[in-house]
mmCIF file of all heavy atoms in Angstrom:
data_model
loop_
_atom_site.group_PDB
_atom_site.id
_atom_site.type_symbol
_atom_site.label_atom_id
_atom_site.label_comp_id
_atom_site.label_asym_id
_atom_site.label_seq_id
_atom_site.Cartn_x
_atom_site.Cartn_y
_atom_site.Cartn_z
ATOM 1 N N TYR A 143 -7.604 53.237 -21.932
ATOM 2 C CA TYR A 143 -7.960 51.832 -21.813
ATOM 3 C C TYR A 143 -8.598 51.387 -23.117
ATOM 4 O O TYR A 143 -9.111 52.196 -23.871
ATOM 5 C CB TYR A 143 -8.973 51.604 -20.684
ATOM 6 C CG TYR A 143 -8.391 51.333 -19.320
ATOM 7 C CD1 TYR A 143 -8.210 52.368 -18.406
ATOM 8 C CD2 TYR A 143 -8.035 50.041 -18.936
ATOM 9 C CE1 TYR A 143 -7.679 52.121 -17.144
ATOM 10 C CE2 TYR A 143 -7.514 49.781 -17.665
ATOM 11 C CZ TYR A 143 -7.331 50.833 -16.787
ATOM 12 O OH TYR A 143 -6.815 50.586 -15.535
ATOM 13 N N TYR A 144 -8.587 50.074 -23.317
ATOM 14 C CA TYR A 144 -9.280 49.533 -24.458
ATOM 15 C C TYR A 144 -9.891 48.178 -24.113
ATOM 16 O O TYR A 144 -9.570 47.576 -23.077
ATOM 17 C CB TYR A 144 -8.365 49.413 -25.681
ATOM 18 C CG TYR A 144 -7.253 48.399 -25.557
ATOM 19 C CD1 TYR A 144 -7.384 47.123 -26.092
ATOM 20 C CD2 TYR A 144 -6.057 48.734 -24.942
ATOM 21 C CE1 TYR A 144 -6.355 46.197 -25.999
ATOM 22 C CE2 TYR A 144 -5.025 47.819 -24.830
ATOM 23 C CZ TYR A 144 -5.170 46.561 -25.373
ATOM 24 O OH TYR A 144 -4.164 45.642 -25.274
ATOM 25 N N SER A 145 -10.776 47.725 -25.001
ATOM 26 C CA SER A 145 -11.459 46.450 -24.788
ATOM 27 C C SER A 145 -11.630 45.748 -26.130
ATOM 28 O O SER A 145 -11.998 46.382 -27.121
ATOM 29 C CB SER A 145 -12.827 46.685 -24.152
ATOM 30 O OG SER A 145 -13.588 45.503 -24.151
ATOM 31 N N VAL A 146 -11.363 44.465 -26.151
ATOM 32 C CA VAL A 146 -11.512 43.685 -27.387
ATOM 33 C C VAL A 146 -12.813 42.888 -27.403
ATOM 34 O O VAL A 146 -13.080 42.160 -28.362
ATOM 35 C CB VAL A 146 -10.306 42.760 -27.623
ATOM 36 C CG1 VAL A 146 -9.026 43.580 -27.714
ATOM 37 C CG2 VAL A 146 -10.197 41.711 -26.540
ATOM 38 N N GLY A 147 -13.591 43.026 -26.345
ATOM 39 C CA GLY A 147 -14.884 42.351 -26.313
ATOM 40 C C GLY A 147 -15.438 42.390 -24.901
ATOM 41 O O GLY A 147 -14.743 42.772 -23.955
ATOM 42 N N ALA A 148 -16.699 42.005 -24.767
ATOM 43 C CA ALA A 148 -17.339 42.018 -23.450
ATOM 44 C C ALA A 148 -16.542 41.183 -22.462
ATOM 45 O O ALA A 148 -16.120 40.059 -22.764
ATOM 46 C CB ALA A 148 -18.765 41.489 -23.570
ATOM 47 N N GLY A 149 -16.289 41.759 -21.295
ATOM 48 C CA GLY A 149 -15.562 41.081 -20.247
ATOM 49 C C GLY A 149 -14.054 41.171 -20.336
ATOM 50 O O GLY A 149 -13.340 40.674 -19.452
ATOM 51 N N ILE A 150 -13.526 41.829 -21.373
ATOM 52 C CA ILE A 150 -12.075 41.907 -21.585
ATOM 53 C C ILE A 150 -11.654 43.366 -21.717
ATOM 54 O O ILE A 150 -12.119 44.069 -22.619
ATOM 55 C CB ILE A 150 -11.653 41.147 -22.851
ATOM 56 C CG1 ILE A 150 -12.170 39.706 -22.829
ATOM 57 C CG2 ILE A 150 -10.134 41.177 -23.008
ATOM 58 C CD1 ILE A 150 -12.006 38.975 -24.136
ATOM 59 N N THR A 151 -10.784 43.809 -20.807
ATOM 60 C CA THR A 151 -10.258 45.166 -20.887
ATOM 61 C C THR A 151 -8.755 45.136 -20.642
ATOM 62 O O THR A 151 -8.226 44.186 -20.052
ATOM 63 C CB THR A 151 -10.912 46.100 -19.853
ATOM 64 O OG1 THR A 151 -10.610 45.629 -18.537
ATOM 65 C CG2 THR A 151 -12.420 46.143 -20.034
ATOM 66 N N ASP A 152 -8.089 46.186 -21.104
ATOM 67 C CA ASP A 152 -6.636 46.255 -20.889
ATOM 68 C C ASP A 152 -6.197 47.702 -20.874
ATOM 69 O O ASP A 152 -6.880 48.592 -21.402
ATOM 70 C CB ASP A 152 -5.892 45.490 -21.977
ATOM 71 C CG ASP A 152 -4.554 44.963 -21.482
ATOM 72 O OD1 ASP A 152 -4.089 45.416 -20.401
ATOM 73 O OD2 ASP A 152 -3.964 44.111 -22.151
ATOM 74 N N LYS A 153 -5.045 47.938 -20.224
ATOM 75 C CA LYS A 153 -4.519 49.281 -20.066
ATOM 76 C C LYS A 153 -3.895 49.770 -21.359
ATOM 77 O O LYS A 153 -3.287 49.020 -22.107
ATOM 78 C CB LYS A 153 -3.481 49.305 -18.950
ATOM 79 C CG LYS A 153 -4.032 48.968 -17.583
ATOM 80 C CD LYS A 153 -2.924 48.957 -16.542
ATOM 81 C CE LYS A 153 -3.501 48.602 -15.178
ATOM 82 N NZ LYS A 153 -2.440 48.557 -14.137
ATOM 83 N N GLY A 154 -4.024 51.077 -21.551
ATOM 84 C CA GLY A 154 -3.340 51.734 -22.636
ATOM 85 C C GLY A 154 -2.120 52.471 -22.141
ATOM 86 O O GLY A 154 -1.453 52.049 -21.190
ATOM 87 N N GLU A 155 -1.861 53.601 -22.745
ATOM 88 C CA GLU A 155 -0.650 54.371 -22.453
ATOM 89 C C GLU A 155 -0.718 55.137 -21.134
ATOM 90 O O GLU A 155 0.275 55.273 -20.426
ATOM 91 C CB GLU A 155 -0.435 55.360 -23.609
ATOM 92 C CG GLU A 155 0.793 56.222 -23.533
ATOM 93 C CD GLU A 155 0.855 57.217 -24.695
ATOM 94 O OE1 GLU A 155 -0.075 57.214 -25.543
ATOM 95 O OE2 GLU A 155 1.804 58.005 -24.752
ATOM 96 N N VAL A 156 -1.922 55.626 -20.769
ATOM 97 C CA VAL A 156 -2.055 56.492 -19.593
ATOM 98 C C VAL A 156 -3.224 56.044 -18.713
ATOM 99 O O VAL A 156 -4.197 56.778 -18.535
ATOM 100 C CB VAL A 156 -2.211 57.972 -20.011
ATOM 101 C CG1 VAL A 156 -0.911 58.520 -20.571
ATOM 102 C CG2 VAL A 156 -3.338 58.141 -21.035
ATOM 103 N N PRO A 157 -3.175 54.861 -18.098
ATOM 104 C CA PRO A 157 -4.331 54.336 -17.360
ATOM 105 C C PRO A 157 -4.470 54.826 -15.923
ATOM 106 O O PRO A 157 -5.545 54.659 -15.315
ATOM 107 C CB PRO A 157 -4.055 52.836 -17.364
ATOM 108 C CG PRO A 157 -2.556 52.748 -17.336
ATOM 109 C CD PRO A 157 -2.073 53.914 -18.174
ATOM 110 N N ASN A 158 -3.425 55.425 -15.354
ATOM 111 C CA ASN A 158 -3.454 55.766 -13.931
ATOM 112 C C ASN A 158 -4.547 56.772 -13.622
ATOM 113 O O ASN A 158 -4.659 57.806 -14.274
ATOM 114 C CB ASN A 158 -2.102 56.319 -13.489
ATOM 115 C CG ASN A 158 -1.026 55.252 -13.501
ATOM 116 O OD1 ASN A 158 -1.329 54.059 -13.545
ATOM 117 N ND2 ASN A 158 0.220 55.669 -13.490
ATOM 118 N N GLY A 159 -5.337 56.460 -12.603
ATOM 119 C CA GLY A 159 -6.425 57.332 -12.177
ATOM 120 C C GLY A 159 -7.750 57.009 -12.825
ATOM 121 O O GLY A 159 -8.751 57.690 -12.548
ATOM 122 N N TYR A 160 -7.780 55.974 -13.657
ATOM 123 C CA TYR A 160 -8.994 55.594 -14.384
ATOM 124 C C TYR A 160 -9.270 54.100 -14.227
ATOM 125 O O TYR A 160 -8.359 53.313 -13.969
ATOM 126 C CB TYR A 160 -8.850 55.885 -15.884
ATOM 127 C CG TYR A 160 -8.426 57.281 -16.239
ATOM 128 C CD1 TYR A 160 -7.082 57.587 -16.436
ATOM 129 C CD2 TYR A 160 -9.368 58.299 -16.384
ATOM 130 C CE1 TYR A 160 -6.680 58.875 -16.766
ATOM 131 C CE2 TYR A 160 -8.973 59.578 -16.720
ATOM 132 C CZ TYR A 160 -7.629 59.856 -16.915
ATOM 133 O OH TYR A 160 -7.243 61.130 -17.247
ATOM 134 N N ASN A 161 -10.535 53.750 -14.401
ATOM 135 C CA ASN A 161 -10.924 52.346 -14.475
ATOM 136 C C ASN A 161 -12.029 52.188 -15.496
ATOM 137 O O ASN A 161 -12.774 53.137 -15.766
ATOM 138 C CB ASN A 161 -11.426 51.843 -13.119
ATOM 139 C CG ASN A 161 -10.282 51.414 -12.222
ATOM 140 O OD1 ASN A 161 -9.521 50.514 -12.565
ATOM 141 N ND2 ASN A 161 -10.152 52.070 -11.086
ATOM 142 N N VAL A 162 -12.131 50.982 -16.048
ATOM 143 C CA VAL A 162 -13.167 50.702 -17.037
ATOM 144 C C VAL A 162 -13.799 49.352 -16.742
ATOM 145 O O VAL A 162 -13.272 48.544 -15.975
ATOM 146 C CB VAL A 162 -12.614 50.676 -18.477
ATOM 147 C CG1 VAL A 162 -12.131 52.048 -18.913
ATOM 148 C CG2 VAL A 162 -11.508 49.635 -18.613
ATOM 149 N N SER A 163 -14.911 49.126 -17.386
ATOM 150 C CA SER A 163 -15.570 47.825 -17.367
ATOM 151 C C SER A 163 -16.233 47.625 -18.709
ATOM 152 O O SER A 163 -16.528 48.586 -19.418
ATOM 153 C CB SER A 163 -16.597 47.741 -16.237
ATOM 154 O OG SER A 163 -17.594 48.726 -16.402
ATOM 155 N N ARG A 164 -16.486 46.389 -19.077
ATOM 156 C CA ARG A 164 -17.165 46.089 -20.342
ATOM 157 C C ARG A 164 -18.070 44.880 -20.106
ATOM 158 O O ARG A 164 -17.733 43.746 -20.410
ATOM 159 C CB ARG A 164 -16.128 45.779 -21.440
ATOM 160 C CG ARG A 164 -16.767 45.551 -22.818
ATOM 161 C CD ARG A 164 -16.807 46.787 -23.629
ATOM 162 N NE ARG A 164 -17.424 46.591 -24.934
ATOM 163 C CZ ARG A 164 -16.775 46.208 -26.029
ATOM 164 N NH1 ARG A 164 -15.472 45.940 -25.972
ATOM 165 N NH2 ARG A 164 -17.422 46.082 -27.166
ATOM 166 N N SER A 165 -19.232 45.148 -19.562
ATOM 167 C CA SER A 165 -20.174 44.066 -19.254
ATOM 168 C C SER A 165 -21.005 43.669 -20.465
ATOM 169 O O SER A 165 -21.529 42.555 -20.526
ATOM 170 C CB SER A 165 -21.090 44.457 -18.092
ATOM 171 O OG SER A 165 -21.789 45.644 -18.410
ATOM 172 N N THR A 166 -21.151 44.566 -21.435
ATOM 173 C CA THR A 166 -21.892 44.277 -22.652
ATOM 174 C C THR A 166 -21.079 44.736 -23.854
ATOM 175 O O THR A 166 -20.145 45.523 -23.718
ATOM 176 C CB THR A 166 -23.254 44.983 -22.692
ATOM 177 O OG1 THR A 166 -23.030 46.398 -22.765
ATOM 178 C CG2 THR A 166 -24.092 44.665 -21.454
ATOM 179 N N THR A 167 -21.458 44.285 -25.029
ATOM 180 C CA THR A 167 -20.774 44.737 -26.258
ATOM 181 C C THR A 167 -20.974 46.228 -26.468
ATOM 182 O O THR A 167 -20.090 46.933 -26.951
ATOM 183 C CB THR A 167 -21.308 43.965 -27.471
ATOM 184 O OG1 THR A 167 -21.021 42.582 -27.309
ATOM 185 C CG2 THR A 167 -20.673 44.457 -28.773
ATOM 186 N N GLU A 168 -22.154 46.736 -26.057
ATOM 187 C CA GLU A 168 -22.520 48.110 -26.388
ATOM 188 C C GLU A 168 -21.872 49.165 -25.497
ATOM 189 O O GLU A 168 -21.618 50.277 -25.938
ATOM 190 C CB GLU A 168 -24.048 48.272 -26.280
ATOM 191 C CG GLU A 168 -24.849 47.484 -27.281
ATOM 192 C CD GLU A 168 -24.968 46.008 -26.924
ATOM 193 O OE1 GLU A 168 -24.759 45.647 -25.730
ATOM 194 O OE2 GLU A 168 -25.243 45.215 -27.829
ATOM 195 N N ASP A 169 -21.642 48.838 -24.217
ATOM 196 C CA ASP A 169 -21.272 49.867 -23.247
ATOM 197 C C ASP A 169 -19.837 49.737 -22.765
ATOM 198 O O ASP A 169 -19.367 48.631 -22.469
ATOM 199 C CB ASP A 169 -22.214 49.806 -22.045
ATOM 200 C CG ASP A 169 -23.655 50.033 -22.440
ATOM 201 O OD1 ASP A 169 -23.898 51.012 -23.174
ATOM 202 O OD2 ASP A 169 -24.529 49.248 -22.021
ATOM 203 N N PHE A 170 -19.178 50.872 -22.613
ATOM 204 C CA PHE A 170 -17.783 50.878 -22.167
ATOM 205 C C PHE A 170 -17.556 52.134 -21.312
ATOM 206 O O PHE A 170 -16.954 53.109 -21.746
ATOM 207 C CB PHE A 170 -16.853 50.863 -23.382
ATOM 208 C CG PHE A 170 -15.399 50.628 -23.067
ATOM 209 C CD1 PHE A 170 -15.012 49.691 -22.124
ATOM 210 C CD2 PHE A 170 -14.400 51.329 -23.742
ATOM 211 C CE1 PHE A 170 -13.675 49.449 -21.841
ATOM 212 C CE2 PHE A 170 -13.051 51.104 -23.479
ATOM 213 C CZ PHE A 170 -12.694 50.162 -22.532
ATOM 214 N N PRO A 171 -18.041 52.149 -20.082
ATOM 215 C CA PRO A 171 -17.900 53.331 -19.233
ATOM 216 C C PRO A 171 -16.487 53.506 -18.690
ATOM 217 O O PRO A 171 -15.777 52.529 -18.431
ATOM 218 C CB PRO A 171 -18.896 53.055 -18.099
ATOM 219 C CG PRO A 171 -19.002 51.564 -18.039
ATOM 220 C CD PRO A 171 -18.822 51.075 -19.450
ATOM 221 N N LEU A 172 -16.103 54.755 -18.504
ATOM 222 C CA LEU A 172 -14.795 55.118 -17.950
ATOM 223 C C LEU A 172 -15.026 55.777 -16.594
ATOM 224 O O LEU A 172 -15.747 56.757 -16.496
ATOM 225 C CB LEU A 172 -14.067 56.086 -18.878
ATOM 226 C CG LEU A 172 -12.711 56.615 -18.410
ATOM 227 C CD1 LEU A 172 -11.668 55.505 -18.460
ATOM 228 C CD2 LEU A 172 -12.269 57.802 -19.259
ATOM 229 N N ARG A 173 -14.389 55.253 -15.573
ATOM 230 C CA ARG A 173 -14.561 55.755 -14.216
ATOM 231 C C ARG A 173 -13.331 56.544 -13.790
ATOM 232 O O ARG A 173 -12.206 56.056 -13.934
ATOM 233 C CB ARG A 173 -14.773 54.568 -13.270
ATOM 234 C CG ARG A 173 -14.916 54.925 -11.804
ATOM 235 C CD ARG A 173 -16.310 55.372 -11.494
ATOM 236 N NE ARG A 173 -16.472 55.655 -10.058
ATOM 237 C CZ ARG A 173 -17.493 56.338 -9.557
ATOM 238 N NH1 ARG A 173 -18.439 56.815 -10.357
ATOM 239 N NH2 ARG A 173 -17.577 56.525 -8.254
ATOM 240 N N LEU A 174 -13.583 57.752 -13.281
ATOM 241 C CA LEU A 174 -12.515 58.547 -12.692
ATOM 242 C C LEU A 174 -12.695 58.539 -11.177
ATOM 243 O O LEU A 174 -13.762 58.916 -10.676
ATOM 244 C CB LEU A 174 -12.571 59.998 -13.158
ATOM 245 C CG LEU A 174 -11.937 60.361 -14.481
ATOM 246 C CD1 LEU A 174 -12.749 59.788 -15.630
ATOM 247 C CD2 LEU A 174 -11.785 61.851 -14.613
ATOM 248 N N GLU A 175 -11.713 58.075 -10.473
ATOM 249 C CA GLU A 175 -11.734 58.086 -9.012
ATOM 250 C C GLU A 175 -10.803 59.186 -8.519
ATOM 251 O O GLU A 175 -9.704 59.335 -9.045
ATOM 252 C CB GLU A 175 -11.248 56.737 -8.463
ATOM 253 C CG GLU A 175 -11.994 55.533 -8.980
ATOM 254 C CD GLU A 175 -13.346 55.342 -8.304
ATOM 255 O OE1 GLU A 175 -13.707 56.158 -7.435
ATOM 256 O OE2 GLU A 175 -14.035 54.358 -8.655
ATOM 257 N N LEU A 176 -11.236 59.945 -7.546
ATOM 258 C CA LEU A 176 -10.385 60.975 -6.930
ATOM 259 C C LEU A 176 -9.805 61.913 -7.991
ATOM 260 O O LEU A 176 -8.603 61.933 -8.253
ATOM 261 C CB LEU A 176 -9.242 60.321 -6.135
ATOM 262 C CG LEU A 176 -9.664 59.417 -4.975
ATOM 263 C CD1 LEU A 176 -8.460 58.725 -4.362
ATOM 264 C CD2 LEU A 176 -10.412 60.241 -3.925
ATOM 265 N N ALA A 177 -10.691 62.663 -8.629
ATOM 266 C CA ALA A 177 -10.293 63.528 -9.730
ATOM 267 C C ALA A 177 -9.165 64.485 -9.325
ATOM 268 O O ALA A 177 -9.152 65.029 -8.215
ATOM 269 C CB ALA A 177 -11.492 64.319 -10.232
ATOM 270 N N ALA A 178 -8.237 64.699 -10.286
ATOM 271 C CA ALA A 178 -7.113 65.597 -10.092
ATOM 272 C C ALA A 178 -7.060 66.594 -11.245
ATOM 273 O O ALA A 178 -7.546 66.289 -12.345
ATOM 274 C CB ALA A 178 -5.809 64.803 -10.040
ATOM 275 N N PRO A 179 -6.470 67.774 -11.021
ATOM 276 C CA PRO A 179 -6.396 68.766 -12.113
ATOM 277 C C PRO A 179 -5.738 68.219 -13.376
ATOM 278 O O PRO A 179 -6.075 68.645 -14.483
ATOM 279 C CB PRO A 179 -5.574 69.893 -11.486
ATOM 280 C CG PRO A 179 -5.856 69.797 -10.022
ATOM 281 C CD PRO A 179 -5.969 68.323 -9.748
ATOM 282 N N SER A 180 -4.817 67.272 -13.224
ATOM 283 C CA SER A 180 -4.143 66.688 -14.392
ATOM 284 C C SER A 180 -5.095 65.897 -15.285
ATOM 285 O O SER A 180 -4.737 65.554 -16.426
ATOM 286 C CB SER A 180 -3.007 65.764 -13.939
ATOM 287 O OG SER A 180 -3.521 64.703 -13.157
ATOM 288 N N GLN A 181 -6.287 65.612 -14.787
ATOM 289 C CA GLN A 181 -7.279 64.893 -15.595
ATOM 290 C C GLN A 181 -8.197 65.829 -16.371
ATOM 291 O O GLN A 181 -9.108 65.369 -17.068
ATOM 292 C CB GLN A 181 -8.096 63.959 -14.703
ATOM 293 C CG GLN A 181 -7.251 62.822 -14.134
ATOM 294 C CD GLN A 181 -8.033 61.926 -13.205
ATOM 295 O OE1 GLN A 181 -8.660 62.397 -12.247
ATOM 296 N NE2 GLN A 181 -8.007 60.625 -13.477
ATOM 297 N N THR A 182 -7.956 67.114 -16.265
ATOM 298 C CA THR A 182 -8.659 68.067 -17.117
ATOM 299 C C THR A 182 -8.270 67.801 -18.562
ATOM 300 O O THR A 182 -7.092 67.857 -18.914
ATOM 301 C CB THR A 182 -8.307 69.508 -16.721
ATOM 302 O OG1 THR A 182 -8.808 69.777 -15.413
ATOM 303 C CG2 THR A 182 -8.896 70.502 -17.705
ATOM 304 N N SER A 183 -9.252 67.500 -19.381
ATOM 305 C CA SER A 183 -8.972 67.087 -20.751
ATOM 306 C C SER A 183 -10.288 66.907 -21.501
ATOM 307 O O SER A 183 -11.373 67.065 -20.934
ATOM 308 C CB SER A 183 -8.185 65.766 -20.757
ATOM 309 O OG SER A 183 -7.715 65.453 -22.046
ATOM 310 N N VAL A 184 -10.170 66.565 -22.772
ATOM 311 C CA VAL A 184 -11.333 66.130 -23.537
ATOM 312 C C VAL A 184 -11.185 64.625 -23.746
ATOM 313 O O VAL A 184 -10.138 64.147 -24.196
ATOM 314 C CB VAL A 184 -11.433 66.843 -24.893
ATOM 315 C CG1 VAL A 184 -12.691 66.378 -25.631
ATOM 316 C CG2 VAL A 184 -11.467 68.360 -24.703
ATOM 317 N N TYR A 185 -12.247 63.897 -23.430
ATOM 318 C CA TYR A 185 -12.211 62.436 -23.483
ATOM 319 C C TYR A 185 -13.054 61.946 -24.653
ATOM 320 O O TYR A 185 -14.196 62.372 -24.836
ATOM 321 C CB TYR A 185 -12.731 61.842 -22.177
ATOM 322 C CG TYR A 185 -11.815 62.119 -21.019
ATOM 323 C CD1 TYR A 185 -11.875 63.316 -20.323
ATOM 324 C CD2 TYR A 185 -10.858 61.182 -20.646
ATOM 325 C CE1 TYR A 185 -11.020 63.580 -19.273
ATOM 326 C CE2 TYR A 185 -9.991 61.431 -19.584
ATOM 327 C CZ TYR A 185 -10.074 62.642 -18.910
ATOM 328 O OH TYR A 185 -9.215 62.898 -17.874
ATOM 329 N N PHE A 186 -12.471 61.039 -25.425
ATOM 330 C CA PHE A 186 -13.166 60.470 -26.569
ATOM 331 C C PHE A 186 -13.250 58.961 -26.445
ATOM 332 O O PHE A 186 -12.266 58.291 -26.122
ATOM 333 C CB PHE A 186 -12.456 60.809 -27.878
ATOM 334 C CG PHE A 186 -12.588 62.235 -28.290
ATOM 335 C CD1 PHE A 186 -11.560 63.131 -28.082
ATOM 336 C CD2 PHE A 186 -13.755 62.684 -28.885
ATOM 337 C CE1 PHE A 186 -11.675 64.451 -28.461
ATOM 338 C CE2 PHE A 186 -13.893 64.012 -29.269
ATOM 339 C CZ PHE A 186 -12.848 64.901 -29.052
#
Side-chain angles (χ1 to χ4, degrees):
Chain A
Y143 271 95
Y144 67 98
S145 170
V146 301
I150 307 170
T151 63
D152 208 346
K153 296 178 181 179
E155 182 183 0
V156 289
N158 291 344
Y160 308 94
N161 276 300
V162 294
S163 60
R164 184 94 181 272
S165 58
T166 66
T167 298
E168 294 78 20
D169 300 312
F170 190 41
L172 177 71
R173 178 81 177 165
L174 277 70
E175 305 282 0
L176 299 174
S180 61
Q181 293 178 307
T182 294
S183 189
V184 182
Y185 292 84
F186 288 101

